[in-house]
Amino acid sequence: MLLWQHQYLARVKPDYPWIYPTAFVDTATPPLVATLETWRCQGFVGIGTVVHPETVESFVQIFDEIWDRLVQHCWLVVTRFKGTSCSAWKKILSWHEFLHVAISHLGSALRVAEPITIEAAQRTLENLFALRRYHHVYVMLSRFYCATEPDMTI
């Protein structure tokens, strides 16, 4: 965990009411419920994590007690994933359907020489589309995708 970042955010949060911090969680070492409670008391509103394909299995094994606590307090889970690591979210959301998840990054934009077909775009995003059945899953997009050369990205 990035303890110094958590400490810094906890220290500045009272001075900036517009800050809604999330605490970074390493998927290999999930926090204890007591740690989540400490963060909540410090003003944190969720956790942030990156799920890599090689850490999917350990991520899915995070105790139900942790997921239940996140649901209970309506915490937001901000995540990044790529490819097959989406399967972890399908499992977790099937067990904890009221978990709030924001997917913050879809990977680097593909460089293409000409516009791709709708079918190709759908295939590229099919893992993400599989999560749309869950009511509390959100995708955050950025202008980053418009900053490629040529200006044809998905």
Side-chain angles (χ1 to χ4, degrees), residues 67-145:
W67 298 121
D68 289 342
R69 180 59 62 109
L70 297 174
V71 169
Q72 177 186 1
H73 293 292
C74 296
W75 268 32
L76 180 64
V77 180
V78 180
T79 187
R80 293 185 320 195
F81 68 79
K82 192 166 187 172
T84 58
S85 54
C86 178
S87 65
W89 285 110
K90 285 187 228 175
K91 287 180 185 177
I92 292 163
L93 288 164
S94 70
W95 300 327
H96 306 280
E97 64 181 302
F98 295 104
L99 189 65
H100 294 261
V101 178
I103 301 163
S104 66
H105 184 36
L106 301 175
S108 299
L110 298 176
R111 290 179 163 271
V112 294
E114 57 189 53
I116 65 170
T117 65
I118 295 294
E119 293 79 19
Q122 288 173 335
R123 277 192 308 276
T124 301
L125 297 172
E126 69 185 342
N127 287 325
L128 181 64
F129 288 164
L131 299 178
R132 67 181 167 199
R133 66 179 282 248
Y134 301 101
H135 297 288
H136 302 290
V137 175
Y138 309 92
V139 177
M140 298 185 297
L141 299 176
S142 73
R143 292 178 50 196
F144 167 76
Y145 299 103

Side-chain angles (χ1 to χ4, degrees), residues 109 142-154:
S142 73
R143 292 178 50 196
F144 167 76
Y145 299 103
C146 299
T148 61
E149 293 289 333
D151 189 30
M152 289 182 262
T153 58
I154 60 167

Side-chain angles (χ1 to χ4, degrees), residues 2 7 88 120 122:
L2 302 172
Q7 291 170 340
Q122 288 173 335

